[in-house]
Amino acid sequence: MKRLTALVICLSGLLTFAGPSFGQAKETRIGIVTLQMKAPYFIAMVRALEAEGARYGNVKTFVADGGGDVAKVSADIEDLLAKGVDGLIMNISPLEALPGPMASIKKAGKPLVLVNRRLKGGEYDAWIGVDNFNTAAGVGEYIAKRMGGKGVLLMMRGGPEDNSTGNARRDGVLSKVKNTSIKVVFAPEFGKWTEDGGIRVMEDMLAKHKEIDAVFCEGDVMCLGAQKAIADAGRSKQILIFGFDGQKAAIEQIMKDSNFVATGQNSADMIAKIGFKTMMDLLAGKKPAEKDSSPPVVVVTKENAKQVYNPKSLF
C-alpha cells in the first residue's frame, strides 16, 4: 500500500489553492454519504469534506445522513444519483458492503471515493483511510513498553462483533503484547464508539476487576469516557489509557501528562483533504497512482503530541 507522505506534505499548498480549472463554467455537484452523524469522528469527516468543497468556487456539496439505517443509506444514494451529482464520497463505517447502491453508482458512471471505510465487494475508484492494523501495532508496541511487559491490560471494543475496523485495531495491539507477560482481559460489553459507552463499560470493569494496569479502547471517544470513570473511582494514578483516532481532546490529555498516554493518529481532516482532492482529480480525468492509500503510521505520545496537535482540528 503506497504511503501518502509526499501528498501529505503537499496538502499545505492546498490551503491557498483557489480551485481547479475543472468545470469552472458550470457547477460541480458532490454527494457526501455517511452512515450516521452521531459519533464525533463521522461528524468531523463530513464537516471536513464540506470545508474542502467550499474551497472550490464552483462546487456544491450535498450531505446525506443515513441515521444509522442501511435502508436509508441506500435510498440516499439513489436520491443523490437522481439529483445528478457528478461524484460521490462515502464514509459508511461500520458497514461491510452495499451491493445494490454500489451497482447503481457504477451503472450511472459516477466516480466513487471511499474515505475511512473500505467496502468489500463492488467497484470504487479510490479509498483513503488509516492502516488500522499497523497503527494499532504501533500503539501496542508503546503499550508493552510503558507496562514493562507485564500487568493487566483491559481491551474495550466499539462493536459490533464483526466490525472489521475495530477488529483490526484489536489485532494490531495484540500482535505486540502476545509475546509478553501482559494479561489481556476483554470487556464483555461494547462501548459503542461513544463517551457514555466508555464510562458505562469502564465502571462495570472497575467493579469486577481490582487489578487493571492499563486500558486500550478502539476509539479515543470511548477512552475519554473510561478516563472519567477511572477518575471517579480514584484510580487515575493506577491505570494508563491508550486509544486510537488522535482525537483533539485525547491529544490535549496526552499533553497535560494525564493517565491518557498515547493514541494512534486517524486524522479526519487529512483523509478528507486527500479524499476530496482525489475526487476532483478523477472528475478532471486523472486517476490516482494507487487505488487504496493510507497516510503514514503515527503514534501520538507526550514526545510528539505538541507537533501533531492542531487546535483548529474538527476532531
Side-chain angles (χ1 to χ4, degrees):
M1 185 180 290
K2 182 179 179 181
R3 298 297 174 196
L4 298 178
T5 305
L7 182 54
V8 171
I9 292 172
C10 290
L11 283 175
S12 58
L14 293 176
L15 298 176
T16 56
F17 186 55
S21 59
F22 170 79
Q24 289 294 336
K26 74 178 190 70
E27 180 180 78
T28 300
R29 300 155 69 89
I30 306 297
I32 299 171
V33 183
T34 184
L35 176 63
Q36 51 98 341
M37 287 279 281
K38 295 179 181 178
Y41 186 84
F42 298 148
I43 295 171
M45 181 66 75
V46 169
R47 296 298 176 239
L49 287 168
E50 287 181 305
E52 287 305 303
R55 283 202 239 245
Y56 297 79
N58 65 322
V59 170
K60 183 175 182 179
T61 55
F62 299 82
V63 175
D65 174 11
D69 185 342
V70 178
K72 186 176 184 305
V73 169
S74 299
D76 286 341
I77 292 171
E78 296 290 350
D79 181 59
L80 288 169
L81 291 174
K83 287 180 178 178
V85 294
D86 297 291
L88 292 103
I89 303 175
M90 305 201 312
N91 172 31
I92 49 179
S93 180
L95 297 183
E96 294 294 316
L98 272 176
M102 295 286 274
S104 295
I105 295 168
K106 180 183 177 182
K107 183 178 179 180
K110 305 298 182 180
L112 172 61
V113 174
L114 303 177
V115 290
N116 186 40
R117 170 54 62 97
R118 178 174 43 191
L119 291 172
K120 295 178 180 177
E123 294 185 19
Y124 56 91
D125 294 279
W127 166 79
I128 301 96
V130 71
D131 185 332
N132 285 291
F133 180 90
N134 284 317
T135 300
V139 176
E141 187 172 359
Y142 194 72
I143 289 173
K145 177 182 177 181
R146 286 297 302 264
M147 293 182 70
K150 59 184 179 181
V152 178
L153 171 65
L154 171 67
M155 301 282 284
M156 186 184 298
R157 299 170 296 165
E161 195 69 49
D162 62 351
N163 187 330
S164 60
T165 295
N167 291 342
R169 296 177 183 185
R170 172 202 66 197
D171 293 344
V173 170
L174 292 178
S175 72
K176 296 298 181 179
V177 302
K178 65 181 180 181
N179 293 323
T180 69
S181 296
I182 295 173
K183 178 183 178 181
V184 178
V185 176
F186 286 90
E189 301 295 327
F190 295 123
K192 298 183 178 179
W193 308 96
T194 67
E195 188 170 320
D196 287 343
I199 292 174
R200 174 179 50 79
V201 173
M202 196 70 228
E203 286 177 341
D204 180 61
M205 296 307 291
L206 288 170
K208 293 178 178 178
H209 298 272
K210 292 184 178 180
E211 293 186 14
I212 298 177
D213 300 292
V215 57
F216 169 74
C217 308
E218 292 175 352
D220 284 341
V221 65
M222 294 185 292
C223 276
L224 292 167
Q227 186 180 39
K228 291 180 180 179
I230 292 168
D232 289 344
R235 296 173 66 174
S236 296
K237 293 183 179 180
Q238 304 167 19
I239 302 176
L240 299 175
I241 300 171
F242 303 85
F244 197 111
D245 276 336
Q247 188 171 342
K248 183 165 65 175
I251 297 177
E252 288 170 351
Q253 288 298 317
I254 293 171
M255 291 192 297
K256 289 179 181 177
D257 203 21
S258 71
N259 60 329
F260 201 137
V261 295
T263 183
Q265 188 180 53
N266 180 24
S267 172
D269 291 342
M270 183 185 299
I271 291 172
K273 283 182 172 66
I274 299 170
F276 211 96
K277 183 180 185 302
T278 300
M279 172 57 71
M280 298 308 290
D281 284 346
L282 285 165
L283 290 171
K286 180 181 178 182
K287 291 186 177 181
E290 295 288 334
K291 184 176 181 179
D292 297 336
S293 304
S294 290
V297 169
V298 175
V299 178
V300 184
T301 67
K302 185 180 178 181
E303 286 69 34
N304 66 349
K306 289 183 179 179
Q307 288 73 41
V308 173
Y309 180 67
N310 176 11
K312 296 182 180 179
S313 174
L314 294 169
F315 175 70

